[in-house]
Amino acid sequence: MTWWFNGKPVKDIVNMECYHGFVYMITNTTNGKKYIGQKQFFSMKSKKHNGKKIKVTIESNWRQYYSSSTELKNDIKLIGKEHFKREILCLCISKNQLNYMEAKYQFLYGVLEDESWYNKWINVKCGFSNIRGQKD
Protein backbone atom coordinates (compact mmCIF):
# COMPACT_ATOMS: atom_id res chain seq x y z
CA MET A 1 0.00 0.00 0.00
CA THR A 2 1.18 3.48 -0.75
CA TRP A 3 1.01 6.82 0.97
CA TRP A 4 -1.20 9.56 -0.50
CA PHE A 5 -0.47 13.31 -0.33
CA ASN A 6 -2.68 16.04 -1.79
CA GLY A 7 -4.74 13.40 -3.59
CA LYS A 8 -1.77 11.78 -5.33
CA PRO A 9 0.14 8.57 -4.58
CA VAL A 10 3.58 9.15 -3.07
CA LYS A 11 6.58 7.15 -4.21
CA ASP A 12 9.13 9.67 -2.95
CA ILE A 13 9.13 13.01 -1.18
CA VAL A 14 10.91 15.68 -3.21
CA ASN A 15 13.70 17.22 -1.10
CA MET A 16 12.90 14.81 1.73
CA GLU A 17 16.11 15.85 3.51
CA CYS A 18 14.52 19.29 4.05
CA TYR A 19 11.80 17.75 6.24
CA HIS A 20 11.91 16.08 9.62
CA GLY A 21 8.74 14.06 9.10
CA PHE A 22 5.01 14.12 8.48
CA VAL A 23 1.63 13.92 10.16
CA TYR A 24 -0.58 11.19 8.73
CA MET A 25 -4.07 9.76 8.85
CA ILE A 26 -4.82 6.09 8.29
CA THR A 27 -8.41 5.11 7.45
CA ASN A 28 -9.93 1.64 7.72
CA THR A 29 -11.99 1.58 4.52
CA THR A 30 -14.28 -1.20 5.81
CA ASN A 31 -15.63 0.71 8.80
CA GLY A 32 -14.32 4.30 8.47
CA LYS A 33 -12.30 4.17 11.70
CA LYS A 34 -9.22 6.43 11.56
CA TYR A 35 -5.93 7.20 13.26
CA ILE A 36 -3.78 10.35 13.25
CA GLY A 37 -0.09 10.09 14.07
CA GLN A 38 3.36 11.23 13.05
CA LYS A 39 6.41 9.65 11.46
CA GLN A 40 9.97 10.88 11.11
CA PHE A 41 11.83 10.43 7.82
CA PHE A 42 15.21 9.76 9.41
CA SER A 43 16.68 8.38 12.61
CA MET A 44 20.11 8.39 14.20
CA LYS A 45 21.90 5.08 14.71
CA SER A 46 25.18 4.29 16.40
CA LYS A 47 27.66 2.50 14.20
CA LYS A 48 31.22 1.35 14.69
CA HIS A 49 33.72 2.83 12.26
CA ASN A 50 37.44 2.17 12.68
CA GLY A 51 36.81 1.04 16.25
CA LYS A 52 34.90 4.20 17.20
CA LYS A 53 31.19 4.68 17.73
CA ILE A 54 29.75 7.26 15.39
CA LYS A 55 26.21 8.50 14.83
CA VAL A 56 24.83 8.07 11.34
CA THR A 57 21.55 9.27 9.89
CA ILE A 58 19.50 6.61 8.15
CA GLU A 59 16.12 6.68 6.44
CA SER A 60 13.33 5.38 8.66
CA ASN A 61 10.81 2.72 7.66
CA TRP A 62 8.27 5.41 6.74
CA ARG A 63 7.42 3.78 3.40
CA GLN A 64 6.14 0.60 5.10
CA TYR A 65 4.94 2.20 8.34
CA TYR A 66 1.41 1.59 9.64
CA SER A 67 1.28 3.27 13.05
CA SER A 68 2.19 2.53 16.64
CA SER A 69 -1.45 1.86 17.60
CA THR A 70 -1.85 -1.74 18.77
CA GLU A 71 -5.56 -1.79 17.91
CA LEU A 72 -4.90 -0.48 14.39
CA LYS A 73 -2.05 -2.92 13.79
CA ASN A 74 -4.30 -5.78 14.96
CA ASP A 75 -7.01 -4.74 12.49
CA ILE A 76 -4.43 -4.58 9.69
CA LYS A 77 -3.34 -8.13 10.49
CA LEU A 78 -6.97 -9.26 10.67
CA ILE A 79 -8.34 -7.78 7.43
CA GLY A 80 -5.23 -6.87 5.41
CA LYS A 81 -3.36 -3.72 4.37
CA GLU A 82 -5.45 -3.36 1.23
CA HIS A 83 -8.36 -2.17 3.41
CA PHE A 84 -6.49 0.84 4.77
CA LYS A 85 -5.72 4.20 3.18
CA ARG A 86 -2.59 6.06 4.33
CA GLU A 87 -2.62 9.84 3.83
CA ILE A 88 0.07 12.41 4.61
CA LEU A 89 -1.67 15.47 6.06
CA CYS A 90 1.37 17.76 6.26
CA LEU A 91 5.16 17.79 6.05
CA CYS A 92 7.13 19.31 8.94
CA ILE A 93 10.63 20.80 9.02
CA SER A 94 11.45 20.09 12.68
CA LYS A 95 10.63 17.70 15.49
CA ASN A 96 8.93 20.52 17.41
CA GLN A 97 6.74 21.41 14.46
CA LEU A 98 5.94 17.71 13.93
CA ASN A 99 4.77 17.33 17.54
CA TYR A 100 2.71 20.50 17.34
CA MET A 101 1.05 19.63 14.03
CA GLU A 102 0.20 16.10 15.15
CA ALA A 103 -1.58 17.46 18.23
CA LYS A 104 -3.24 20.23 16.19
CA TYR A 105 -4.76 17.69 13.77
CA GLN A 106 -5.76 15.37 16.61
CA PHE A 107 -7.62 18.18 18.37
CA LEU A 108 -9.03 19.54 15.08
CA TYR A 109 -10.54 16.14 14.22
CA GLY A 110 -11.60 15.39 17.82
CA VAL A 111 -9.88 12.01 17.90
CA LEU A 112 -10.70 11.40 21.58
CA GLU A 113 -14.33 12.42 21.33
CA ASP A 114 -15.86 9.28 19.82
CA GLU A 115 -15.21 5.66 18.97
CA SER A 116 -14.60 6.28 15.27
CA TRP A 117 -10.89 6.84 16.02
CA TYR A 118 -8.14 4.41 16.93
CA ASN A 119 -6.38 7.18 18.91
CA LYS A 120 -6.62 6.64 22.66
CA TRP A 121 -4.53 9.59 23.88
CA ILE A 122 -2.86 12.81 22.79
CA ASN A 123 0.63 13.57 24.03
CA VAL A 124 2.05 17.00 23.32
CA LYS A 125 4.59 19.41 24.73
CA CYS A 126 5.15 22.46 22.60
CA GLY A 127 5.76 26.16 22.70
CA PHE A 128 5.87 29.28 20.59
CA SER A 129 8.65 28.03 18.29
CA ASN A 130 6.53 25.02 17.33
CA ILE A 131 3.93 27.21 15.68
CA ARG A 132 6.55 29.15 13.74
CA GLY A 133 8.16 25.99 12.35
CA GLN A 134 11.59 26.93 13.63
CA LYS A 135 14.29 24.29 13.53
CA ASP A 136 14.95 22.41 16.79
mmCIF file with all atom_site columns, all heavy atoms in Angstrom, residues 74-96:
data_model
loop_
_atom_site.group_PDB
_atom_site.id
_atom_site.type_symbol
_atom_site.label_atom_id
_atom_site.label_alt_id
_atom_site.label_comp_id
_atom_site.label_asym_id
_atom_site.label_entity_id
_atom_site.label_seq_id
_atom_site.pdbx_PDB_ins_code
_atom_site.Cartn_x
_atom_site.Cartn_y
_atom_site.Cartn_z
_atom_site.occupancy
_atom_site.B_iso_or_equiv
_atom_site.pdbx_formal_charge
_atom_site.auth_seq_id
_atom_site.auth_comp_id
_atom_site.auth_asym_id
_atom_site.auth_atom_id
_atom_site.pdbx_PDB_model_num
ATOM 1   N N   . ASN A 1 74 ? -3.532  -4.530  14.878 1.00 0.00 ? 74 ASN A N   1
ATOM 2   C CA  . ASN A 1 74 ? -4.296  -5.781  14.956 1.00 0.00 ? 74 ASN A CA  1
ATOM 3   C C   . ASN A 1 74 ? -5.342  -5.861  13.849 1.00 0.00 ? 74 ASN A C   1
ATOM 4   O O   . ASN A 1 74 ? -5.536  -6.919  13.236 1.00 0.00 ? 74 ASN A O   1
ATOM 5   C CB  . ASN A 1 74 ? -4.961  -5.932  16.321 1.00 0.00 ? 74 ASN A CB  1
ATOM 6   C CG  . ASN A 1 74 ? -3.975  -6.263  17.416 1.00 0.00 ? 74 ASN A CG  1
ATOM 7   O OD1 . ASN A 1 74 ? -2.860  -6.714  17.163 1.00 0.00 ? 74 ASN A OD1 1
ATOM 8   N ND2 . ASN A 1 74 ? -4.365  -6.010  18.648 1.00 0.00 ? 74 ASN A ND2 1
ATOM 9   N N   . ASP A 1 75 ? -6.024  -4.758  13.572 1.00 0.00 ? 75 ASP A N   1
ATOM 10  C CA  . ASP A 1 75 ? -7.011  -4.740  12.490 1.00 0.00 ? 75 ASP A CA  1
ATOM 11  C C   . ASP A 1 75 ? -6.349  -4.957  11.131 1.00 0.00 ? 75 ASP A C   1
ATOM 12  O O   . ASP A 1 75 ? -6.902  -5.634  10.265 1.00 0.00 ? 75 ASP A O   1
ATOM 13  C CB  . ASP A 1 75 ? -7.801  -3.433  12.491 1.00 0.00 ? 75 ASP A CB  1
ATOM 14  C CG  . ASP A 1 75 ? -8.935  -3.427  13.513 1.00 0.00 ? 75 ASP A CG  1
ATOM 15  O OD1 . ASP A 1 75 ? -9.121  -4.447  14.209 1.00 0.00 ? 75 ASP A OD1 1
ATOM 16  O OD2 . ASP A 1 75 ? -9.635  -2.400  13.617 1.00 0.00 ? 75 ASP A OD2 1
ATOM 17  N N   . ILE A 1 76 ? -5.164  -4.382  10.953 1.00 0.00 ? 76 ILE A N   1
ATOM 18  C CA  . ILE A 1 76 ? -4.434  -4.576  9.690  1.00 0.00 ? 76 ILE A CA  1
ATOM 19  C C   . ILE A 1 76 ? -4.095  -6.049  9.500  1.00 0.00 ? 76 ILE A C   1
ATOM 20  O O   . ILE A 1 76 ? -4.263  -6.599  8.413  1.00 0.00 ? 76 ILE A O   1
ATOM 21  C CB  . ILE A 1 76 ? -3.174  -3.690  9.644  1.00 0.00 ? 76 ILE A CB  1
ATOM 22  C CG1 . ILE A 1 76 ? -3.588  -2.217  9.526  1.00 0.00 ? 76 ILE A CG1 1
ATOM 23  C CG2 . ILE A 1 76 ? -2.260  -4.087  8.497  1.00 0.00 ? 76 ILE A CG2 1
ATOM 24  C CD1 . ILE A 1 76 ? -2.468  -1.231  9.755  1.00 0.00 ? 76 ILE A CD1 1
ATOM 25  N N   . LYS A 1 77 ? -3.638  -6.694  10.560 1.00 0.00 ? 77 LYS A N   1
ATOM 26  C CA  . LYS A 1 77 ? -3.336  -8.131  10.492 1.00 0.00 ? 77 LYS A CA  1
ATOM 27  C C   . LYS A 1 77 ? -4.596  -8.943  10.194 1.00 0.00 ? 77 LYS A C   1
ATOM 28  O O   . LYS A 1 77 ? -4.561  -9.905  9.447  1.00 0.00 ? 77 LYS A O   1
ATOM 29  C CB  . LYS A 1 77 ? -2.720  -8.621  11.803 1.00 0.00 ? 77 LYS A CB  1
ATOM 30  C CG  . LYS A 1 77 ? -1.282  -8.236  11.991 1.00 0.00 ? 77 LYS A CG  1
ATOM 31  C CD  . LYS A 1 77 ? -0.758  -8.769  13.309 1.00 0.00 ? 77 LYS A CD  1
ATOM 32  C CE  . LYS A 1 77 ? 0.628   -8.230  13.590 1.00 0.00 ? 77 LYS A CE  1
ATOM 33  N NZ  . LYS A 1 77 ? 1.108   -8.596  14.935 1.00 0.00 ? 77 LYS A NZ  1
ATOM 34  N N   . LEU A 1 78 ? -5.709  -8.536  10.797 1.00 0.00 ? 78 LEU A N   1
ATOM 35  C CA  . LEU A 1 78 ? -6.968  -9.263  10.670 1.00 0.00 ? 78 LEU A CA  1
ATOM 36  C C   . LEU A 1 78 ? -7.580  -9.153  9.272  1.00 0.00 ? 78 LEU A C   1
ATOM 37  O O   . LEU A 1 78 ? -7.983  -10.162 8.688  1.00 0.00 ? 78 LEU A O   1
ATOM 38  C CB  . LEU A 1 78 ? -7.960  -8.742  11.716 1.00 0.00 ? 78 LEU A CB  1
ATOM 39  C CG  . LEU A 1 78 ? -9.285  -9.467  11.849 1.00 0.00 ? 78 LEU A CG  1
ATOM 40  C CD1 . LEU A 1 78 ? -9.061  -10.874 12.380 1.00 0.00 ? 78 LEU A CD1 1
ATOM 41  C CD2 . LEU A 1 78 ? -10.202 -8.692  12.785 1.00 0.00 ? 78 LEU A CD2 1
ATOM 42  N N   . ILE A 1 79 ? -7.640  -7.935  8.704  1.00 0.00 ? 79 ILE A N   1
ATOM 43  C CA  . ILE A 1 79 ? -8.340  -7.777  7.425  1.00 0.00 ? 79 ILE A CA  1
ATOM 44  C C   . ILE A 1 79 ? -7.435  -7.437  6.243  1.00 0.00 ? 79 ILE A C   1
ATOM 45  O O   . ILE A 1 79 ? -7.890  -7.447  5.101  1.00 0.00 ? 79 ILE A O   1
ATOM 46  C CB  . ILE A 1 79 ? -9.480  -6.734  7.528  1.00 0.00 ? 79 ILE A CB  1
ATOM 47  C CG1 . ILE A 1 79 ? -8.938  -5.337  7.841  1.00 0.00 ? 79 ILE A CG1 1
ATOM 48  C CG2 . ILE A 1 79 ? -10.502 -7.158  8.563  1.00 0.00 ? 79 ILE A CG2 1
ATOM 49  C CD1 . ILE A 1 79 ? -9.998  -4.256  7.816  1.00 0.00 ? 79 ILE A CD1 1
ATOM 50  N N   . GLY A 1 80 ? -6.174  -7.119  6.501  1.00 0.00 ? 80 GLY A N   1
ATOM 51  C CA  . GLY A 1 80 ? -5.231  -6.870  5.408  1.00 0.00 ? 80 GLY A CA  1
ATOM 52  C C   . GLY A 1 80 ? -4.995  -5.399  5.104  1.00 0.00 ? 80 GLY A C   1
ATOM 53  O O   . GLY A 1 80 ? -5.892  -4.573  5.239  1.00 0.00 ? 80 GLY A O   1
ATOM 54  N N   . LYS A 1 81 ? -3.775  -5.090  4.678  1.00 0.00 ? 81 LYS A N   1
ATOM 55  C CA  . LYS A 1 81 ? -3.355  -3.719  4.371  1.00 0.00 ? 81 LYS A CA  1
ATOM 56  C C   . LYS A 1 81 ? -4.179  -3.080  3.258  1.00 0.00 ? 81 LYS A C   1
ATOM 57  O O   . LYS A 1 81 ? -4.344  -1.865  3.222  1.00 0.00 ? 81 LYS A O   1
ATOM 58  C CB  . LYS A 1 81 ? -1.877  -3.700  3.965  1.00 0.00 ? 81 LYS A CB  1
ATOM 59  C CG  . LYS A 1 81 ? -0.938  -4.012  5.084  1.00 0.00 ? 81 LYS A CG  1
ATOM 60  C CD  . LYS A 1 81 ? 0.501   -4.020  4.583  1.00 0.00 ? 81 LYS A CD  1
ATOM 61  C CE  . LYS A 1 81 ? 1.445   -4.360  5.709  1.00 0.00 ? 81 LYS A CE  1
ATOM 62  N NZ  . LYS A 1 81 ? 2.848   -4.401  5.278  1.00 0.00 ? 81 LYS A NZ  1
ATOM 63  N N   . GLU A 1 82 ? -4.694  -3.899  2.369  1.00 0.00 ? 82 GLU A N   1
ATOM 64  C CA  . GLU A 1 82 ? -5.447  -3.363  1.227  1.00 0.00 ? 82 GLU A CA  1
ATOM 65  C C   . GLU A 1 82 ? -6.736  -2.649  1.651  1.00 0.00 ? 82 GLU A C   1
ATOM 66  O O   . GLU A 1 82 ? -7.352  -1.953  0.858  1.00 0.00 ? 82 GLU A O   1
ATOM 67  C CB  . GLU A 1 82 ? -5.747  -4.460  0.209  1.00 0.00 ? 82 GLU A CB  1
ATOM 68  C CG  . GLU A 1 82 ? -6.665  -5.551  0.695  1.00 0.00 ? 82 GLU A CG  1
ATOM 69  C CD  . GLU A 1 82 ? -5.965  -6.697  1.435  1.00 0.00 ? 82 GLU A CD  1
ATOM 70  O OE1 . GLU A 1 82 ? -4.766  -6.581  1.749  1.00 0.00 ? 82 GLU A OE1 1
ATOM 71  O OE2 . GLU A 1 82 ? -6.640  -7.712  1.710  1.00 0.00 ? 82 GLU A OE2 1
ATOM 72  N N   . HIS A 1 83 ? -7.139  -2.808  2.912  1.00 0.00 ? 83 HIS A N   1
ATOM 73  C CA  . HIS A 1 83 ? -8.359  -2.173  3.414  1.00 0.00 ? 83 HIS A CA  1
ATOM 74  C C   . HIS A 1 83 ? -8.070  -0.911  4.225  1.00 0.00 ? 83 HIS A C   1
ATOM 75  O O   . HIS A 1 83 ? -8.932  -0.451  4.986  1.00 0.00 ? 83 HIS A O   1
ATOM 76  C CB  . HIS A 1 83 ? -9.182  -3.160  4.240  1.00 0.00 ? 83 HIS A CB  1
ATOM 77  C CG  . HIS A 1 83 ? -9.674  -4.320  3.431  1.00 0.00 ? 83 HIS A CG  1
ATOM 78  N ND1 . HIS A 1 83 ? -10.672 -4.199  2.503  1.00 0.00 ? 83 HIS A ND1 1
ATOM 79  C CD2 . HIS A 1 83 ? -9.278  -5.616  3.398  1.00 0.00 ? 83 HIS A CD2 1
ATOM 80  C CE1 . HIS A 1 83 ? -10.883 -5.372  1.931  1.00 0.00 ? 83 HIS A CE1 1
ATOM 81  N NE2 . HIS A 1 83 ? -10.055 -6.240  2.453  1.00 0.00 ? 83 HIS A NE2 1
ATOM 82  N N   . PHE A 1 84 ? -6.873  -0.357  4.041  1.00 0.00 ? 84 PHE A N   1
ATOM 83  C CA  . PHE A 1 84 ? -6.487  0.841   4.772  1.00 0.00 ? 84 PHE A CA  1
ATOM 84  C C   . PHE A 1 84 ? -5.889  1.859   3.815  1.00 0.00 ? 84 PHE A C   1
ATOM 85  O O   . PHE A 1 84 ? -5.117  1.508   2.928  1.00 0.00 ? 84 PHE A O   1
ATOM 86  C CB  . PHE A 1 84 ? -5.474  0.500   5.871  1.00 0.00 ? 84 PHE A CB  1
ATOM 87  C CG  . PHE A 1 84 ? -6.084  -0.315  6.970  1.00 0.00 ? 84 PHE A CG  1
ATOM 88  C CD1 . PHE A 1 84 ? -6.175  -1.693  6.847  1.00 0.00 ? 84 PHE A CD1 1
ATOM 89  C CD2 . PHE A 1 84 ? -6.596  0.291   8.105  1.00 0.00 ? 84 PHE A CD2 1
ATOM 90  C CE1 . PHE A 1 84 ? -6.759  -2.460  7.841  1.00 0.00 ? 84 PHE A CE1 1
ATOM 91  C CE2 . PHE A 1 84 ? -7.182  -0.462  9.098  1.00 0.00 ? 84 PHE A CE2 1
ATOM 92  C CZ  . PHE A 1 84 ? -7.266  -1.841  8.971  1.00 0.00 ? 84 PHE A CZ  1
ATOM 93  N N   . LYS A 1 85 ? -6.273  3.109   3.991  1.00 0.00 ? 85 LYS A N   1
ATOM 94  C CA  . LYS A 1 85 ? -5.722  4.202   3.182  1.00 0.00 ? 85 LYS A CA  1
ATOM 95  C C   . LYS A 1 85 ? -4.804  5.033   4.073  1.00 0.00 ? 85 LYS A C   1
ATOM 96  O O   . LYS A 1 85 ? -5.210  5.455   5.163  1.00 0.00 ? 85 LYS A O   1
ATOM 97  C CB  . LYS A 1 85 ? -6.835  5.081   2.614  1.00 0.00 ? 85 LYS A CB  1
ATOM 98  C CG  . LYS A 1 85 ? -6.299  6.194   1.726  1.00 0.00 ? 85 LYS A CG  1
ATOM 99  C CD  . LYS A 1 85 ? -7.408  6.992   1.072  1.00 0.00 ? 85 LYS A CD  1
ATOM 100 C CE  . LYS A 1 85 ? -6.806  8.036   0.141  1.00 0.00 ? 85 LYS A CE  1
ATOM 101 N NZ  . LYS A 1 85 ? -7.824  8.834   -0.509 1.00 0.00 ? 85 LYS A NZ  1
ATOM 102 N N   . ARG A 1 86 ? -3.574  5.281   3.590  1.00 0.00 ? 86 ARG A N   1
ATOM 103 C CA  . ARG A 1 86 ? -2.589  6.061   4.334  1.00 0.00 ? 86 ARG A CA  1
ATOM 104 C C   . ARG A 1 86 ? -2.402  7.411   3.654  1.00 0.00 ? 86 ARG A C   1
ATOM 105 O O   . ARG A 1 86 ? -2.004  7.465   2.494  1.00 0.00 ? 86 ARG A O   1
ATOM 106 C CB  . ARG A 1 86 ? -1.245  5.329   4.402  1.00 0.00 ? 86 ARG A CB  1
ATOM 107 C CG  . ARG A 1 86 ? -1.335  3.965   5.066  1.00 0.00 ? 86 ARG A CG  1
ATOM 108 C CD  . ARG A 1 86 ? 0.013   3.318   5.235  1.00 0.00 ? 86 ARG A CD  1
ATOM 109 N NE  . ARG A 1 86 ? 0.721   3.183   3.966  1.00 0.00 ? 86 ARG A NE  1
ATOM 110 C CZ  . ARG A 1 86 ? 1.997   2.873   3.853  1.00 0.00 ? 86 ARG A CZ  1
ATOM 111 N NH1 . ARG A 1 86 ? 2.733   2.666   4.930  1.00 0.00 ? 86 ARG A NH1 1
ATOM 112 N NH2 . ARG A 1 86 ? 2.564   2.757   2.673  1.00 0.00 ? 86 ARG A NH2 1
ATOM 113 N N   . GLU A 1 87 ? -2.713  8.487   4.384  1.00 0.00 ? 87 GLU A N   1
ATOM 114 C CA  . GLU A 1 87 ? -2.618  9.839   3.829  1.00 0.00 ? 87 GLU A CA  1
ATOM 115 C C   . GLU A 1 87 ? -1.650  10.683  4.651  1.00 0.00 ? 87 GLU A C   1
ATOM 116 O O   . GLU A 1 87 ? -1.707  10.683  5.878  1.00 0.00 ? 87 GLU A O   1
ATOM 117 C CB  . GLU A 1 87 ? -3.978  10.522  3.875  1.00 0.00 ? 87 GLU A CB  1
ATOM 118 C CG  . GLU A 1 87 ? -5.053  9.835   3.078  1.00 0.00 ? 87 GLU A CG  1
ATOM 119 C CD  . GLU A 1 87 ? -6.401  10.477  3.324  1.00 0.00 ? 87 GLU A CD  1
ATOM 120 O OE1 . GLU A 1 87 ? -6.693  11.507  2.680  1.00 0.00 ? 87 GLU A OE1 1
ATOM 121 O OE2 . GLU A 1 87 ? -7.140  9.950   4.169  1.00 0.00 ? 87 GLU A OE2 1
ATOM 122 N N   . ILE A 1 88 ? -0.787  11.433  3.958  1.00 0.00 ? 88 ILE A N   1
ATOM 123 C CA  . ILE A 1 88 ? 0.073   12.413  4.608  1.00 0.00 ? 88 ILE A CA  1
ATOM 124 C C   . ILE A 1 88 ? -0.718  13.718  4.669  1.00 0.00 ? 88 ILE A C   1
ATOM 125 O O   . ILE A 1 88 ? -1.169  14.228  3.637  1.00 0.00 ? 88 ILE A O   1
ATOM 126 C CB  . ILE A 1 88 ? 1.383   12.595  3.828  1.00 0.00 ? 88 ILE A CB  1
ATOM 127 C CG1 . ILE A 1 88 ? 2.194   11.282  3.868  1.00 0.00 ? 88 ILE A CG1 1
ATOM 128 C CG2 . ILE A 1 88 ? 2.190   13.771  4.388  1.00 0.00 ? 88 ILE A CG2 1
ATOM 129 C CD1 . ILE A 1 88 ? 3.443   11.295  3.003  1.00 0.00 ? 88 ILE A CD1 1
ATOM 130 N N   . LEU A 1 89 ? -0.914  14.233  5.883  1.00 0.00 ? 89 LEU A N   1
ATOM 131 C CA  . LEU A 1 89 ? -1.667  15.470  6.063  1.00 0.00 ? 89 LEU A CA  1
ATOM 132 C C   . LEU A 1 89 ? -0.783  16.697  5.898  1.00 0.00 ? 89 LEU A C   1
ATOM 133 O O   . LEU A 1 89 ? -1.219  17.705  5.347  1.00 0.00 ? 89 LEU A O   1
ATOM 134 C CB  . LEU A 1 89 ? -2.341  15.492  7.439  1.00 0.00 ? 89 LEU A CB  1
ATOM 135 C CG  . LEU A 1 89 ? -3.330  14.357  7.713  1.00 0.00 ? 89 LEU A CG  1
ATOM 136 C CD1 . LEU A 1 89 ? -3.833  14.436  9.148  1.00 0.00 ? 89 LEU A CD1 1
ATOM 137 C CD2 . LEU A 1 89 ? -4.490  14.412  6.736  1.00 0.00 ? 89 LEU A CD2 1
ATOM 138 N N   . CYS A 1 90 ? 0.445   16.640  6.409  1.00 0.00 ? 90 CYS A N   1
ATOM 139 C CA  . CYS A 1 90 ? 1.375   17.761  6.261  1.00 0.00 ? 90 CYS A CA  1
ATOM 140 C C   . CYS A 1 90 ? 2.809   17.293  6.482  1.00 0.00 ? 90 CYS A C   1
ATOM 141 O O   . CYS A 1 90 ? 3.047   16.297  7.161  1.00 0.00 ? 90 CYS A O   1
ATOM 142 C CB  . CYS A 1 90 ? 1.028   18.908  7.206  1.00 0.00 ? 90 CYS A CB  1
ATOM 143 S SG  . CYS A 1 90 ? 1.331   18.572  8.936  1.00 0.00 ? 90 CYS A SG  1
ATOM 144 N N   . LEU A 1 91 ? 3.732   18.023  5.878  1.00 0.00 ? 91 LEU A N   1
ATOM 145 C CA  . LEU A 1 91 ? 5.165   17.789  6.052  1.00 0.00 ? 91 LEU A CA  1
ATOM 146 C C   . LEU A 1 91 ? 5.685   18.817  7.047  1.00 0.00 ? 91 LEU A C   1
ATOM 147 O O   . LEU A 1 91 ? 5.247   19.974  7.034  1.00 0.00 ? 91 LEU A O   1
ATOM 148 C CB  . LEU A 1 91 ? 5.895   17.942  4.722  1.00 0.00 ? 91 LEU A CB  1
ATOM 149 C CG  . LEU A 1 91 ? 5.488   16.950  3.626  1.00 0.00 ? 91 LEU A CG  1
ATOM 150 C CD1 . LEU A 1 91 ? 6.085   17.372  2.282  1.00 0.00 ? 91 LEU A CD1 1
ATOM 151 C CD2 . LEU A 1 91 ? 5.915   15.541  3.993  1.00 0.00 ? 91 LEU A CD2 1
ATOM 152 N N   . CYS A 1 92 ? 6.622   18.424  7.892  1.00 0.00 ? 92 CYS A N   1
ATOM 153 C CA  . CYS A 1 92 ? 7.133   19.307  8.943  1.00 0.00 ? 92 CYS A CA  1
ATOM 154 C C   . CYS A 1 92 ? 8.650   19.385  8.883  1.00 0.00 ? 92 CYS A C   1
ATOM 155 O O   . CYS A 1 92 ? 9.316   18.374  8.616  1.00 0.00 ? 92 CYS A O   1
ATOM 156 C CB  . CYS A 1 92 ? 6.705   18.801  10.311 1.00 0.00 ? 92 CYS A CB  1
ATOM 157 S SG  . CYS A 1 92 ? 4.905   18.718  10.503 1.00 0.00 ? 92 CYS A SG  1
ATOM 158 N N   . ILE A 1 93 ? 9.186   20.581  9.163  1.00 0.00 ? 93 ILE A N   1
ATOM 159 C CA  . ILE A 1 93 ? 10.626  20.798  9.021  1.00 0.00 ? 93 ILE A CA  1
ATOM 160 C C   . ILE A 1 93 ? 11.417  20.532  10.294 1.00 0.00 ? 93 ILE A C   1
ATOM 161 O O   . ILE A 1 93 ? 12.640  20.486  10.254 1.00 0.00 ? 93 ILE A O   1
ATOM 162 C CB  . ILE A 1 93 ? 10.928  22.229  8.525  1.00 0.00 ? 93 ILE A CB  1
ATOM 163 C CG1 . ILE A 1 93 ? 10.445  23.267  9.537  1.00 0.00 ? 93 ILE A CG1 1
ATOM 164 C CG2 . ILE A 1 93 ? 10.353  22.460  7.152  1.00 0.00 ? 93 ILE A CG2 1
ATOM 165 C CD1 . ILE A 1 93 ? 10.917  24.677  9.247  1.00 0.00 ? 93 ILE A CD1 1
ATOM 166 N N   . SER A 1 94 ? 10.732  20.341  11.428 1.00 0.00 ? 94 SER A N   1
ATOM 167 C CA  . SER A 1 94 ? 11.451  20.094  12.680 1.00 0.00 ? 94 SER A CA  1
ATOM 168 C C   . SER A 1 94 ? 10.643  19.136  13.556 1.00 0.00 ? 94 SER A C   1
ATOM 169 O O   . SER A 1 94 ? 9.442   18.934  13.340 1.00 0.00 ? 94 SER A O   1
ATOM 170 C CB  . SER A 1 94 ? 11.681  21.403  13.433 1.00 0.00 ? 94 SER A CB  1
ATOM 171 O OG  . SER A 1 94 ? 10.456  21.904  13.941 1.00 0.00 ? 94 SER A OG  1
ATOM 172 N N   . LYS A 1 95 ? 11.304  18.596  14.556 1.00 0.00 ? 95 LYS A N   1
ATOM 173 C CA  . LYS A 1 95 ? 10.629  17.705  15.494 1.00 0.00 ? 95 LYS A CA  1
ATOM 174 C C   . LYS A 1 95 ? 9.569   18.475  16.281 1.00 0.00 ? 95 LYS A C   1
ATOM 175 O O   . LYS A 1 95 ? 8.470   17.971  16.515 1.00 0.00 ? 95 LYS A O   1
ATOM 176 C CB  . LYS A 1 95 ? 11.643  17.081  16.449 1.00 0.00 ? 95 LYS A CB  1
ATOM 177 C CG  . LYS A 1 95 ? 11.059  16.075  17.392 1.00 0.00 ? 95 LYS A CG  1
ATOM 178 C CD  . LYS A 1 95 ? 12.130  15.417  18.239 1.00 0.00 ? 95 LYS A CD  1
ATOM 179 C CE  . LYS A 1 95 ? 11.502  14.387  19.166 1.00 0.00 ? 95 LYS A CE  1
ATOM 180 N NZ  . LYS A 1 95 ? 12.515  13.730  19.993 1.00 0.00 ? 95 LYS A NZ  1
ATOM 181 N N   . ASN A 1 96 ? 9.899   19.699  16.687 1.00 0.00 ? 96 ASN A N   1
ATOM 182 C CA  . ASN A 1 96 ? 8.931   20.522  17.412 1.00 0.00 ? 96 ASN A CA  1
ATOM 183 C C   . ASN A 1 96 ? 7.685   20.789  16.578 1.00 0.00 ? 96 ASN A C   1
ATOM 184 O O   . ASN A 1 96 ? 6.560   20.662  17.063 1.00 0.00 ? 96 ASN A O   1
ATOM 185 C CB  . ASN A 1 96 ? 9.565   21.856  17.827 1.00 0.00 ? 96 ASN A CB  1
ATOM 186 C CG  . ASN A 1 96 ? 10.498  21.704  19.000 1.00 0.00 ? 96 ASN A CG  1
ATOM 187 O OD1 . ASN A 1 96 ? 10.377  20.779  19.781 1.00 0.00 ? 96 ASN A OD1 1
ATOM 188 N ND2 . ASN A 1 96 ? 11.453  22.611  19.122 1.00 0.00 ? 96 ASN A ND2 1
#
